[in-house]
């Protein structure tokens, strides 16, 4: 089962690759600079927000960084 811990693995890998702090990544993912801190402290999010965050990572993932195996990477939607 996929969980918040899987999302946080994406956050940690992305942060390590980009050297961006959680507050910046949180704002880019959720429009809320405090949401990742809340998730790390045990808060929850809706499935829609979770899936949106994973899709954002998939679309913005650094080319030279391997996607974590524990999280299925969504297909990018073709531009129309």
């Amino acid at each position: 089962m996929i969980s918040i811990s899987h999302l946080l693995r994406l956050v940690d890998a992305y942060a390590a690759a980009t050297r961006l702090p959680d507050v910046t990544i949180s704002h880019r993912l959720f429009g809320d600079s405090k949401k990742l801190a809340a998730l790390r402290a045990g808060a929850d999010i809706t499935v829609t927000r979770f899936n949106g965050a994973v899709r954002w990572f998939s679309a913005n993932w650094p080319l030279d960084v391997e996607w974590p195996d524990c999280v299925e990477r969504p297909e990018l939607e073709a531009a129309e």
Side-chain angles (χ1 to χ4, degrees):
M1 178 185 320
I2 196 159
S3 67
I4 296 296
S5 66
H6 294 100
L7 177 60
L8 294 176
R9 285 190 186 181
L10 289 175
V11 171
D12 292 340
Y14 185 83
T18 62
R19 299 182 186 256
L20 292 172
D22 268 8
V23 293
T24 301
I25 298 168
S26 184
H27 186 270
R28 291 180 183 180
L29 288 174
F30 304 113
D32 177 351
S33 62
K34 297 177 184 177
K35 186 48 111 176
L36 283 178
L39 292 174
R40 290 189 189 280
D44 205 356
I45 57 174
T46 65
V47 172
T48 300
R49 288 186 91 185
F50 181 96
N51 288 335
V54 174
R55 282 192 305 274
W56 185 91
F57 276 125
S58 187
N60 294 282
W61 199 254
L63 296 176
D64 59 340
V65 177
E66 187 173 333
W67 183 268
D69 289 335
C70 65
V71 180
E72 184 177 339
R73 187 171 186 172
E75 296 286 328
L76 293 178
E77 295 177 11
E80 294 183 19

